[in-house]
Amino acid sequence: MSALHLRRWPGNEDRPALALHCMMGNGVYWGPIAETLRERARISAPDLPGHGQSPDWEGTMPDYHTFVTREAAALIDRPLDLIGHSMGATVALRIAVAAPEAVRSLTLIEPVLFAAAPEAFNDALLDDVAARLAAGEDAEAARAFLGVWGGLDWDSQTPSGKARLARQIHLVQASNDALRRDTANILRPDGLEAIDAPVLIVMGEDSPPVIPAIADALAARLPDVGRARVPGAGHMLPITHPRQVAELIGLNLDRA
């Protein structure tokens, strides 16, 4: 059984769904989406290791992405609708590749599987984050990363908030092998092609340019895939545009 802290919102008990949040977030932000979809699905959302109310990751084997995937997969006891945002979307995709029979529908919001479409600006950013961490500049590493991927004003964060983000930036670094080099082997031959559930890839109109490139690469291999772009939204669209995201998830639920 997973040790992750799990939130469950009221909803359609005959249609379970699992939602996986982004790096440096927590499961709380799925609440408005779960409320909008309550007649159609019952959404549960864990806090990933080192986030929210879940235990910290101890930094030992297996690697962080594998550990998160195992903990999330342990929450699945029957076929369900799987939803993921950012790093959570890569975990959802990894589960779907490994066990396609467990997934009724798959909604990938801003999947950051950088190995699918390497891009120079993003590579430079992640290399800069790694260099700052190696120099002990945790807060500056977090600030640089969130300036592109976080959609928040660093200077407006409380001291405790900045300290939390400075701790969690190490989890971003710990995910790099899986996301940048695909050590999880998500992109293996015939892996994406084996997902027979309907897939929807959701992006923000103003997201970093690597995101549509990743979407192109994934969509080219998925048998049943749709794509949607939310106007005026960036990478954090489940938080900034929950109504539009909920409507899109609902469309994919209907396709299953």
Side-chain angles (χ1 to χ4, degrees):
M1 183 176 181
S2 176
L4 301 181
H5 177 79
L6 186 66
R7 294 175 173 83
R8 292 185 176 92
W9 289 274
N12 182 349
E13 294 293 330
D14 294 327
R15 193 74 189 264
L18 185 68
L20 306 175
H21 67 76
C22 67
M23 191 70 79
M24 304 170 84
N26 62 64
V28 168
Y29 71 64
W30 295 110
I33 293 171
E35 175 61 28
T36 300
L37 294 172
R38 65 182 298 169
E39 299 300 322
R40 302 162 79 177
R42 188 207 70 219
I43 293 180
S44 301
D47 291 340
L48 301 183
H51 297 76
Q53 299 180 49
S54 283
D56 287 338
W57 178 57
E58 298 301 328
T60 56
M61 296 298 289
D63 66 276
Y64 184 74
H65 199 277
T66 297
F67 185 75
V68 172
T69 302
R70 289 178 182 175
E71 291 291 303
L75 298 169
I76 300 174
D77 58 8
R78 57 170 163 154
L80 48 64
D81 299 288
L82 194 54
I83 305 160
H85 172 219
S86 193
M87 203 278 285
T90 70
V91 173
L93 184 60
R94 185 174 179 178
I95 291 171
V97 168
E101 70 281 357
V103 181
R104 186 169 176 175
S105 72
L106 179 64
T107 303
L108 304 174
I109 304 167
E110 298 265 317
V112 290
L113 188 54
F114 302 127
E119 189 256 348
F121 175 82
N122 187 64
D123 285 344
L125 170 66
L126 297 179
D127 288 344
D128 178 61
V129 168
R132 291 178 187 273
L133 289 175
E137 300 171 357
D138 295 4
E140 287 306 310
R143 183 174 188 160
F145 178 79
L146 292 168
V148 175
W149 291 105
L152 56 78
D153 177 13
W154 178 266
D155 292 330
S156 69
Q157 302 302 302
T158 64
S160 63
K162 291 179 180 177
R164 173 181 59 80
L165 296 169
R167 291 193 305 272
Q168 290 176 334
I169 191 64
H170 288 274
L171 301 179
V172 173
Q173 180 68 15
S175 302
N176 270 348
D177 281 346
L179 301 184
R180 300 181 70 182
R181 288 175 277 281
D182 192 30
T183 55
N185 208 18
I186 299 169
L187 298 172
R188 61 184 177 268
D190 300 322
L192 298 179
E193 291 80 359
I195 301 174
D196 59 2
V199 181
L200 178 64
I201 302 174
V202 181
M203 300 170 286
E205 182 182 48
D206 301 325
S207 296
V210 70
I211 290 294
I214 293 170
D216 287 344
L218 298 180
R221 294 181 53 192
L222 291 162
D224 183 1
V225 61
R227 297 172 60 173
R229 183 169 291 183
V230 177
H235 183 63
M236 299 303 291
L237 64 167
I239 296 174
T240 61
H241 294 70
R243 180 183 59 80
Q244 294 93 323
V245 169
E247 289 174 355
L248 291 168
I249 293 171
L251 291 175
N252 205 36
L253 296 178
D254 291 345
R255 294 174 62 220

